[in-house]
Amino acid sequence: MKLAALALIASAHAAPLGPNLYIAGDGFTLEQALADAKREGATTYKILVTGSEAQRLIAPRATRDTTELLRLARASGARVFVCAKDVKALGVTPRELVKGVTTVRGYVADPTSLPDWERRTPRAPDRKSLAACAE
């Protein structure tokens, strides 16, 4: 247990804090995340999609408005991420998401218990998203 805690602390210090990170989920929509980035004048930024907003990223269900919003976000400098835990909760895999969305995982106590696709999923790009995507 102590070894796992030390590894978690070490990995937290290796990741950047999370500048220019906008989170869609928990009461904030994709539209609000993009509007916040524009309002703050971000030219390169990350949008992390969590919770109920993640269902909007499932390709067969994505509306034209959602795909256009994602296109605009990427055109304005955004990289769009979704938490693996939310993808898993929706019962889909990363292949079923809108093209251009990257699935990432957060802190995980026991990575050996993850499904193969999730074990191969890259870690979230910064500390804030690592924590937001933690299992």
Side-chain angles (χ1 to χ4, degrees):
M1 184 68 167
K2 285 184 182 181
L3 185 58
L6 289 174
L8 183 64
I9 291 168
S11 67
H13 291 291
L17 279 173
N20 294 330
L21 173 67
Y22 301 89
I23 299 178
D26 295 328
F28 295 95
T29 65
L30 280 166
E31 289 82 0
Q32 289 170 318
L34 182 57
D36 286 349
K38 284 183 178 182
R39 186 182 70 251
E40 293 178 13
T43 55
T44 58
Y45 57 99
K46 299 166 281 208
I47 295 178
L48 177 66
V49 183
T50 65
S52 62
E53 283 295 288
Q55 68 186 343
R56 295 177 65 184
L57 303 178
I58 300 171
R61 298 184 209 160
T63 65
R64 184 170 295 180
D65 289 342
T66 297
T67 56
E68 180 62 14
L69 180 71
L70 293 171
R71 188 193 66 72
L72 290 171
R74 287 191 298 271
S76 68
R79 292 180 57 208
V80 181
F81 300 96
V82 64
C83 294
K85 69 177 182 155
D86 296 310
V87 171
K88 189 168 43 175
L90 291 168
V92 297
T93 64
R95 283 192 236 151
E96 298 170 78
L97 300 177
V98 173
K99 186 176 178 161
V101 174
T102 303
T103 304
V104 293
R105 64 184 169 97
Y107 297 119
V108 178
D110 181 17
T112 61
S113 66
L114 300 175
D116 286 339
W117 70 262
E118 193 174 357
R119 227 182 349 267
R120 291 187 305 269
T121 299
R123 285 173 34 122
D126 53 54
R127 280 192 243 173
K128 286 181 184 176
S129 52
L130 280 165
C133 292
E135 298 235 353

